[in-house]
Amino acid sequence: MSNVEQRLEKILDHVKRHNQGEHEFHQAVKEVIETLGPVLRKHPEYAEQKIIERICEPERQIIFRVPWMDDNGEVQINRGFRVGFNSALGPYKGGLRFHPSVYLGIIKFLGFEQTFKNALSGMPIGGAKGGADFDPKGKSDSEVMRFCQSYMTELYRHIGEMTDVPAGDIGVGAREIGYLFGQYKRITNRYESGVLTGKSPQWGGALVRREATGYGAIFFAQEMLRVRGESLEGKTCIVSGSGNVAIYAIEKLQQLGARVVACSDSGGVIYDKRGLDLDSIKRIKEVERKRISEYHQIHPEAEYYAEGVIWNIPCDFAFPCATQNEISEASARKLLENGCIGVSEGANMPVTPKGVKLFLDAGIAYGPGKAANAGGVATSALEMQQNASRDTWSFEYTEDRLQKIMANIHANCFETAAEYDSPGNYVVGANIVGFKRVAEAMLAFGLI
Ligand code: NDP
């Protein structure tokens, strides 16, 4: 093992010892560190200045109590988090996740990924993530509102348009952003539009922000196929999840002439061979906030598999848009056996390390989340621009900007992978582009 590889191994050991039990964080750090050997060889100054070691340590971590009252008058207590990972390129930026599985290790993995993703997007934003172990499922609007108000009552002192700008993620959509913004405005006595993104377009939100992550993952897939002389038209696709990212991934796929035959939620999988009826899915999920099994009531000819595995369904292209580690090694193998030629990650870290290896070894078009789902945060940065200039852009103009940003991210990853002797490997490309941008800024700032 070379000196560089030994050094990287030592860094990973240190991260594991100092962040015990945080498996998702270890996994995210390992995946990045494994690709940085060639960069350290070209840039010994990164090693001398311990840039990787510094990047692996969040700049700040805030954990707080979130007490709230449910509709029965009973006191409930959740744990809130906000991790400011790296602010070398701009104010902290990253979403909030409300899900019962949330703990510090999940927030740190997401914040670490976000740092490189945001750098890769080319926008002037640092990396952060936050959330709470609160489950919005089955809660009334009033309960969600009381929770959001209590959460913001602590969070407000740590954020600001020049400091830290949260947005949505799992369990946090336009409704939650509205309640959070309302409480921030009330406490601070400021109409500071740029403090949160993902707002409703009626009061400061950017058009296309709702669609951006899903659309972006499709634009990235389109680019990966374009360099292979192919397109998405006529392709059979599957999209996991049926939340914000999944719904707009399906929408763009359908606009581009692909046939999307399956989607899911944590309860099960819908398989509609004729192609999914997106209007029904939007009504079930965005309006009625019900389970995806309802689709089967509307379309009895579609199949529903309670607790099924969506990746067993044959497809040309797969879009994991639900959650981390949702494609196991076995599922990755099944996708390849069924002839899948590409995977574009709407979700963050949805494929296990062994699954990623199978995709890379098979040479399929594999777009890691850091690159493929960067459209969401990039459009959040466009929302910040509009808020700063008190301007509103049209849907067409904003979508065009998004498409160009995704094409640019693709080109950067593609060229950098080739430069570092890994042609077609977007994991290597994305990690190196993102890392170098953060590293150069940190070097310029001295020891921070
Ligand atoms: P939503 O809450 O809108 O939707 C999440 C979807 O995934 C739901 O259908 C949910 O089902 C399903 N899901 C969540 N957890 C699990 C689980 N453990 N097992 C099975 N299904 C699950 O979230 P988003 O669409 O915003 O986020 C989806 C992914 O995209 C996440 O990984 C997020 O980090 C990533 N992402 C999101 C961005 C954004 O702009 N929103 C930006 C970049 C990445 P159910 O309702 O049953 O729980």
Side-chain angles (χ1 to χ4, degrees):
M1 204 189 287
S2 74
N3 282 348
V4 165
E5 265 66 39
Q6 275 175 9
R7 181 183 192 106
L8 292 173
E9 194 140 297
K10 251 177 85 183
I11 295 173
L12 188 59
D13 277 352
H14 177 86
V15 166
K16 286 182 180 163
R17 270 186 288 113
H18 279 251
N19 302 276
Q20 285 190 17
E22 298 175 1
H23 305 292
E24 297 83 358
F25 180 50
H26 304 168
Q27 183 183 335
V29 171
K30 184 167 189 283
E31 187 260 337
V32 170
I33 279 190
E34 274 172 355
T35 59
L36 295 182
V39 184
L40 286 196
R41 275 188 276 279
K42 263 195 191 176
H43 295 274
E45 69 276 18
Y46 295 162
E48 278 155 27
Q49 294 299 320
K50 297 199 176 168
I51 296 288
I52 302 180
E53 290 89 327
R54 282 195 264 156
I55 284 181
C56 289
E57 185 66 24
E59 288 174 10
R60 65 186 201 185
Q61 306 179 54
I62 298 143
I63 303 180
F64 50 99
R65 180 172 67 210
V66 190
W68 57 283
M69 195 166 281
D70 68 19
D71 286 347
N72 298 323
E74 197 176 321
V75 170
Q76 302 287 342
I77 298 140
N78 284 96
R79 186 171 289 175
F81 302 88
R82 185 70 181 166
V83 173
F85 226 99
N86 195 295
S87 59
L89 292 175
Y92 300 121
K93 182 88 196 84
L96 300 174
R97 176 176 290 192
F98 291 169
H99 193 271
S101 64
V102 163
Y103 76 107
L104 189 58
I106 294 225
I107 299 300
K108 277 162 71 178
F109 120 63
L110 290 164
F112 183 78
E113 289 275 297
Q114 195 82 44
T115 300
F116 301 103
K117 179 189 313 190
N118 293 4
L120 186 56
S121 77
M123 299 300 194
I125 42 180
K129 204 78 188 189
D133 59 355
F134 170 75
D135 188 359
K137 230 176 284 163
K139 303 286 189 300
S140 69
D141 282 353
S142 322
E143 288 176 322
V144 171
M145 180 187 74
R146 287 195 292 275
F147 177 80
C148 288
Q149 291 181 338
S150 180
Y151 182 85
M152 185 53 87
T153 301
E154 174 57 34
L155 187 71
Y156 88 95
R157 67 187 93 245
H158 307 291
I159 62 175
E161 62 186 355
M162 300 295 177
T163 317
D164 184 354
V165 182
D169 190 78
I170 292 179
V172 178
R175 174 184 60 172
E176 290 73 18
I177 293 291
Y179 294 147
L180 290 164
F181 184 75
Q183 184 73 349
Y184 182 85
K185 185 175 88 58
R186 190 178 174 206
I187 298 175
T188 59
N189 192 31
R190 280 162 63 86
Y191 202 107
E192 191 183 329
S193 300
V195 72
L196 287 170
T197 59
K199 301 181 293 294
S200 161
Q202 287 155 344
W203 43 273
L207 291 168
V208 191
R209 177 58 190 93
R210 179 183 61 174
E211 292 82 359
T213 310
Y215 278 20
I218 307 310
F219 291 146
F220 196 84
Q222 220 182 3
E223 288 298 305
M224 291 196 292
L225 286 175
R226 189 182 53 74
V227 294
R228 292 167 178 243
E230 295 214 47
S231 82
L232 283 164
E233 199 180 347
K235 295 275 188 299
T236 300
C237 299
I238 57 179
V239 177
S240 66
S242 47
N244 171 262
V245 179
I247 284 176
Y248 293 96
I250 296 170
E251 183 166 280
K252 185 49 73 182
L253 281 168
Q254 292 183 341
Q255 286 173 9
L256 293 174
R259 195 164 54 97
V260 190
V261 295
C263 70
S264 60
D265 65 13
S266 57
V269 176
I270 285 290
Y271 183 24
D272 190 340
K273 291 189 185 114
R274 304 156 312 157
L276 292 172
D277 164 13
L278 186 57
D279 287 342
S280 294
I281 295 172
K282 282 186 176 176
R283 196 171 58 253
I284 294 166
K285 286 294 175 181
E286 293 185 333
V287 182
E288 297 166 359
R289 297 182 186 276
K290 288 189 174 160
R291 311 310 299 152
I292 200 64
S293 55
E294 294 287 321
Y295 185 96
H296 193 234
Q297 312 296 320
I298 306 164
H299 294 289
E301 62 286 7
E303 290 163 46
Y304 176 69
Y305 311 117
E307 293 173 20
V309 178
I310 193 170
W311 315 116
N312 292 338
I313 295 171
C315 68
D316 299 314
F317 218 109
F319 296 88
C321 295
T323 193
Q324 65 275 357
N325 292 326
E326 54 173 311
I327 301 188
S328 64
E329 183 183 14
S331 292
R333 187 165 289 119
K334 191 76 188 164
L335 281 165
L336 293 172
E337 275 168 17
N338 283 336
C340 176
I341 60 160
V343 174
S344 184
E345 296 182 347
N348 284 309
M349 208 167 75
V351 186
T352 59
K354 286 182 177 163
V356 172
K357 186 168 180 333
L358 283 178
F359 292 152
L360 293 177
D361 289 348
I364 65 164
Y366 169 62
K370 238 176 248 115
N373 71 37
V377 77
T379 309
S380 274
L382 299 181
E383 184 168 323
M384 290 163 74
Q385 283 183 31
Q386 290 167 77
N387 293 150
S389 58
R390 302 193 187 283
D391 198 0
T392 320
W393 303 346
S394 71
F395 193 96
E396 293 70 26
Y397 174 75
T398 317
E399 187 182 1
D400 185 55
R401 291 277 305 259
L402 168 65
Q403 190 159 8
K404 289 191 175 119
I405 289 168
M406 294 314 294
N408 203 24
I409 292 173
H410 174 274
N412 278 323
C413 295
F414 190 76
E415 286 158 19
T416 303
E419 184 191 333
Y420 282 86
D421 297 326
S422 303
N425 185 330
Y426 295 95
V427 177
V428 166
N431 287 346
I432 293 181
V433 175
F435 172 77
K436 281 178 70 180
R437 285 186 180 155
V438 178
E440 286 299 324
M442 288 178 73
L443 276 181
F445 295 161
L447 185 51
I448 55 154

